[in-house]
Amino acid sequence: MLEFRLLGPLEVLARAEPVPIGGLRQRVVLTTLLLNAGRVVSVDTLAETVWGARPPSTSRTQVAICVSALRKAFRAHGVRREVIETSAPGYVLHPAGHRVDTLMFEELVAEARAEARENRAAEAVRCFDSALALRRGPVLSNVTGLALEEAAELLEESLLTAYEEQVELRLDLGEHRSLVGGLAAAVEKYPLRDRLHGSLMTAQYRSGRRVAALETFARCRRRWVEDLGLEPSAQLRRLHERILRDEEGPPADRPPAQLPAATQAFTGRAEALTALDRLADRGGTGGTPPLGLIVGGVGVGKTALAVWWGQRGTDRFPDGQLFVDLHGHDPHRAPADPSAVLARLLRSLGVPAEQVPRPAERPELFRTLLARKRMLLVLDDARDATQVWPLLPNTASCQVLVTSRDPLRELVARCGTVPLRLDSLRQDEAVALVRGIVGEARVTRDPEAVARLVELCGRLPGALLAAAAHLASKPHWDVARMVRELCRPRHRLAGLVGAGQRLRDGLAASARRLDPAAAHLYRALGELPTPELTCWTAETLLSCPAPDADDVLERLVDAHLLEPAGSDADGGTRYRLPSLPHAFAAELATAGP
């Protein structure tokens, strides 16, 4: 799989390693094909983009040489299928199975706008966050040409518009204090964007800085009149008039309500929900908050469980709910720094940005502000105990939920909590999830195909949601056709379309954290015809004694890439490679070392 990055300097990565793509001409050809991914681009268009209106007589040959060099570079990094295909009158770049950041950006922005239309502002903000995080600097800064410069301007405009929309949603969520600094910098950079000026004026006014808001308008008007000979927009002038009249004071402080929208397709998990209810009812002791630790592999639904439980129990938390994505296992973002997280949490609790103390003092202020409050704090996707420990309050009235792929044994030892390990759904729960999305009729029509589908998805909520959503979007398909799409292990994740890429990314991140012996064994297991094995199998594949092989197997269990499956005839442990980790191991085995 290749990762194509255009929202910054053009880059191509394979397994996080840069792929050399040659000089300027090859970069221009590749960029043009990426901007038209999935569509044929004529050789004439490519030549004009590279050389302008008067390309040399050899331009068609030189374009072919550029394409050949790109194909060779991709093959050198293990890509077997042709990414750039010849298709008269030119070439087409097929993005399926690869990551293109511009396409991801468009999908995330569309998802954010859909969430906003459904009045799910917090979830929309999260989608915009993910979209804007794809930016790495000035767009396409290492390619030239009029057509590509115009394309870069359009992408910059899309990024800026997404930021403006996100800011307005955050204002609706009462985050005005934390927005002032960033908006002030944006206004300096884009002095003729009256939408940004309006958001800055609103944030300043709601933060109790009415004079600053009026000064912002005065500077904006002066710039517009001097540079353009125009007055600011009518909307901005009306906002100015409302602030002048002080028509309404800053909104009353509201308890933070940061939990994302709960999925409507949530199914099962009755025992886990009961366990969390008991934890909350029991409460903490002394200065220890009740701590729930939800542990599980990629796509098992850890975040969905935490959010669903938090949303159904809001009466328990009258002082609000805080939610932080710690990005502990995100392959595209560094794990969140606890000090930066504390600064954000303090702003959410009403501390003005300019009054957030230095890093060493933030934990103390955070604990002080939460003293005697009844709040829920969800720390999602924690990497390790070191990342979590500074974020824990010291009051028994707060409930904390931590989700992680890691067992977080150090946190368990220090807090005395019992981890809640999530596994795949039961068969009936998995079928119910599919039924809720594709409808009773299609499930009833072919129950055997549905049973096969849920097993191919490993009964994981993330994979089931992807498969069911794909089916729902294709009413002319029966379930058996979806099963055929997923039946080839080496193509299963690709068959899950959008979520398949996220699952692959998650599995890849887990695999990268393995030590060399565990990584070697995991790749070797992808070549096994059956997903079940014993310690003897691992001994053979690793050429090592039984105790060493057993240790390696348990490291794969901790990484959620392998699961215990009972005992063999000799009393030893049997192991099972779940469906999707097996499919990814098969991909790795095919790709080679």
Side-chain angles (χ1 to χ4, degrees), residues 5 41 53 58 65 70 130 189 233 250 298 311 330 338 371 381 407 410 417 451 454 464 494 522 543 566 571:
R5 297 179 172 185
V41 182
T58 60
I65 292 171
L70 290 169
S130 299
K189 188 173 182 180
S233 68
V298 179
Q311 294 283 24
D330 189 329
D381 191 22
E410 183 182 347
T417 188
V454 300
L464 289 166
Y522 179 56
S543 302

Side-chain angles (χ1 to χ4, degrees), residues 43-307:
V43 174
D44 290 341
T45 297
L46 291 169
E48 186 175 341
T49 306
V50 174
W51 287 281
R54 301 179 64 182
S57 58
T58 60
S59 61
R60 299 180 69 87
T61 301
Q62 292 190 51
V63 167
I65 292 171
C66 288
V67 171
S68 177
L70 290 169
R71 288 169 171 168
K72 183 178 179 181
F74 300 157
R75 284 194 296 270
H77 283 75
V79 179
R80 303 292 177 89
R81 294 177 60 188
E82 206 70 272
V83 181
I84 303 174
E85 187 177 89
T86 302
S87 181
Y91 302 94
V92 58
L93 185 145
H94 296 291
H98 305 285
R99 292 174 59 90
V100 182
D101 61 357
T102 51
L103 300 181
M104 293 172 59
F105 174 81
E106 290 172 3
E107 291 175 7
L108 288 164
V109 168
E111 186 178 348
R113 288 168 178 162
E115 297 286 0
R117 285 194 296 272
E118 295 296 325
N119 296 317
R120 294 193 286 262
E123 187 62 28
V125 166
R126 289 191 71 204
C127 292
F128 275 126
D129 268 341
S130 299
L132 293 168
L134 295 170
R135 183 191 185 109
R136 297 169 292 107
V139 172
L140 297 177
S141 56
N142 60 344
V143 295
T144 59
L146 180 61
L148 297 187
E149 289 168 8
E150 290 175 351
E153 288 179 9
L154 290 174
L155 289 171
E156 292 281 7
E157 175 66 22
S158 297
L159 286 160
L160 186 53
T161 300
Y163 172 69
E164 290 172 333
E165 292 179 37
Q166 185 206 44
V167 162
E168 290 170 359
L169 288 166
R170 292 180 63 190
L171 286 170
D172 291 341
L173 291 170
E175 298 182 22
H176 37 273
R177 289 189 179 91
S178 61
L179 287 168
V180 172
L183 280 169
V187 161
E188 286 299 314
K189 188 173 182 180
Y190 305 102
L192 300 179
R193 301 283 292 205
D194 59 350
R195 191 173 183 181
L196 285 176
H197 279 88
S199 293
L200 176 58
M201 290 165 63
T202 301
Q204 290 170 324
Y205 177 65
R206 292 181 181 176
S207 300
R209 299 169 60 187
R210 183 179 174 220
V211 172
L214 295 172
E215 289 175 347
T216 295
F217 177 81
R219 285 194 298 272
C220 173
R221 181 181 181 276
R222 186 163 54 248
R223 179 70 66 90
W224 273 66
V225 171
E226 291 176 355
D227 290 1
L228 303 175
L230 297 173
E231 289 287 339
S233 68
Q235 183 179 2
L236 197 64
R237 295 199 306 272
R238 284 194 295 270
L239 174 61
H240 175 243
E241 290 168 4
R242 289 198 301 274
I243 294 174
L244 271 175
R245 292 195 295 267
D246 202 12
E247 288 182 341
E248 54 182 282
D253 289 335
R254 292 172 290 178
Q258 296 181 351
L259 289 182
T263 175
Q264 297 303 305
F266 187 86
T267 303
R269 304 300 191 198
E271 293 180 1
L273 291 167
T274 299
L276 292 175
D277 285 341
R278 288 174 181 161
L279 179 69
D281 292 339
R282 187 169 67 246
T285 57
T288 304
L291 174 64
L293 175 57
I294 303 172
V295 177
V298 179
V300 78
K302 303 180 293 295
T303 304
L305 173 63
V307 170

